[in-house]
Amino acid sequence: MGPLFSYAALAWFLATIFSLLLLWLGKKIQVYDQDVHDLKNHRQVVTLGGLGIYFAFWTAFYFFNPSFFLVQSLLALFLASTLVLITGILDDLYNLKPWLKSAGVLLAANIIYFWANVSFSTTLLPTVSDSLFQIITYLLTMVWIFLMTNAINLIDGLDGLASSVTLISLITLIVTTYFFSISISLSILVMLLILSGAILGFIPFNWQPAKIYLGDTGALFIGFMYASLSVTNLKNASFYSLAVPVLIYLVPLFDAFFAVLRRFMTGKSIVVADHDHVHHRLLRLGLKEWQVVAIMIFITLLFSSLAILTQLFASARQYILMGAMALVLLLLLIMIRINKTSKKD
């Protein structure tokens, strides 16, 4: 696996260079985004940082496989990820309506489903006819990709939060894929390494105080790539193999679930943005921004460790997952408690 790290190093170098270029260009043409959590100062921060990650990723992968355009599945992933990137750019620049942004992600999901044969299926499905099984598989794939893609976008509200959480998740997915996957696709493994390297090159510019943001451009691209690369290991997935990518990605998934539940319970639209996500509630406790980021990084590391433990200790999987479910319930109760406390204050 050693030589493969050279492609991750190349992605890190390219992401660093591209981030510097985007930072210079963004200031020159004044492509700024408002820092949603710095409400007093309203700092002007360059957006569209995801462009650097995108170009670093596909450039590095080209060096690994210069003929990937001739492989239908890889070409489909390239086209789909480009569509997601364009959707993010348009949203950053023109604030797309939620249904338009959703349409872009779902269209990209259909591209990889039909052209790349990337699909989600599980042994947990009941015995049904082939036609019904295909319909269920299609719907599950769309839900998986849509949810995973948007989850990272929802937590992208603090400097360095989304990029750090995603980097930890990707590294954990690399470990579980390399050491515990029954069949390893070299291209998938290299893509995971390259994406990790690209994010690592971007993080120094995104850390507090951020000089450049991912924007929807980067958050959607990263989320879509994680969704697409993780779902390739979920054909005929068992309950335990399905649990691994969910545990690894649990922080953004929990925030997405909590946002939907919160808005549904209060009668608000589930697609309208608010300032009541997990990191917002932690900030209302009086914690500093870096402390909130550190807490969410710790939680990500905790659940990533549990995902690895489910692979190391097969006989204890049910107990590990029970512990993980208890932690999720505890997080939910804490978030509800914080809301009640903040309302009293």
Side-chain angles (χ1 to χ4, degrees):
M1 187 174 176
L4 299 182
F5 280 103
S6 61
Y7 297 103
L10 174 60
W12 166 82
F13 173 75
L14 291 173
T16 301
I17 299 301
F18 286 138
S19 295
L20 285 170
L21 289 173
L22 285 168
L23 185 57
W24 171 81
L25 183 62
K27 289 181 178 180
K28 189 175 182 64
I29 62 177
Q30 298 186 337
V31 182
Y32 294 119
D33 192 5
Q34 289 298 320
D35 186 349
V36 294
H37 48 279
D38 191 10
L39 300 179
K40 292 183 179 179
N41 297 324
H42 294 290
R43 293 187 297 125
Q44 287 186 316
V45 181
V46 174
T47 189
L48 301 179
L51 277 170
I53 294 176
Y54 169 86
F55 284 118
F57 176 86
W58 283 112
T59 302
F61 188 72
Y62 173 81
F63 278 92
F64 168 73
N65 184 1
S67 60
F68 80 85
F69 286 103
L70 302 178
V71 181
Q72 180 173 311
S73 59
L74 297 177
L75 176 59
L77 183 57
F78 169 74
L79 293 174
S81 67
T82 303
L83 176 59
V84 168
L85 183 88
I86 294 172
T87 301
I89 292 173
L90 293 175
D91 189 51
D92 283 329
L93 296 179
Y94 305 108
N95 194 22
L96 293 179
K97 292 183 179 179
W99 73 268
L100 277 174
K101 186 162 62 172
S102 299
V105 174
L106 289 174
L107 180 56
N110 276 273
I111 290 174
I112 63 169
Y113 179 84
F114 289 106
W115 286 6
N117 194 28
V118 170
S119 62
F120 172 97
S121 62
T122 173
T123 55
L124 301 176
L125 290 175
T127 302
V128 294
S129 64
D130 289 342
S131 58
L132 182 57
F133 183 84
Q134 290 298 324
I135 293 173
I136 296 174
T137 296
Y138 171 78
L139 292 175
L140 286 175
T141 304
M142 294 300 109
V143 170
W144 179 272
I145 293 176
F146 183 81
L147 181 61
M148 290 286 188
T149 300
N150 283 282
I152 197 65
N153 195 33
L154 293 177
I155 68 165
D156 187 24
L158 297 180
D159 295 352
L161 176 57
S163 51
S164 299
V165 166
T166 305
L167 181 61
I168 295 169
S169 299
L170 284 168
I171 292 173
T172 309
L173 190 59
I174 290 169
V175 171
T176 56
T177 299
Y178 182 75
F179 289 102
F180 305 111
S181 182
I182 297 175
S183 57
I184 301 175
S185 168
L186 185 59
S187 292
I188 298 300
L189 187 60
V190 171
M191 283 184 173
L192 290 172
L193 285 166
I194 289 175
L195 187 57
S196 300
I199 295 173
L200 188 61
F202 170 80
I203 280 181
F205 305 94
N206 189 232
W207 202 254
Q208 185 184 17
K211 299 179 180 63
I212 188 170
Y213 286 154
L214 280 171
D216 278 18
T217 304
L220 291 179
F221 171 73
I222 291 173
F224 181 79
M225 292 304 296
Y226 181 91
S228 302
L229 297 176
S230 62
V231 79
T232 56
N233 288 329
L234 294 179
K235 287 190 176 182
N236 301 316
S238 66
F239 175 77
Y240 295 113
S241 58
L242 173 61
V244 171
V246 172
L247 284 174
I248 293 172
Y249 213 53
L250 197 133
V251 167
L253 285 177
F254 174 83
D255 188 61
F257 167 78
F258 183 63
V260 172
L261 177 65
R262 179 183 70 246
R263 294 167 188 174
F264 177 78
M265 295 297 291
T266 56
K268 297 179 181 178
S269 172
I270 63 173
V271 298
V272 176
D274 58 28
H275 289 76
D276 208 18
H277 290 280
V278 172
H279 52 276
H280 292 124
R281 295 196 175 202
L282 292 175
L283 285 173
R284 288 204 295 270
L285 287 179
L287 295 173
K288 295 181 180 179
E289 184 175 321
W290 70 266
Q291 292 174 321
V292 174
V293 174
I295 289 172
M296 297 188 75
I297 287 175
F298 172 78
I299 296 173
T300 303
L301 287 169
L302 177 61
F303 281 104
S304 293
S305 299
L306 291 175
I308 293 175
L309 288 176
T310 62
Q311 302 300 298
L312 285 173
F313 304 102
S315 60
R317 282 174 175 171
Q318 63 269 36
Y319 303 110
I320 296 171
L321 291 178
M322 286 174 62
M325 292 174 65
L327 288 174
V328 171
L329 180 59
L330 178 61
L331 286 174
L332 182 60
L333 293 175
I334 290 173
M335 288 301 105
I336 295 173
R337 176 77 179 187
I338 290 175
N339 188 50
K340 289 181 178 179
T341 302
S342 61
K343 284 183 177 179
K344 289 180 181 180
D345 295 340

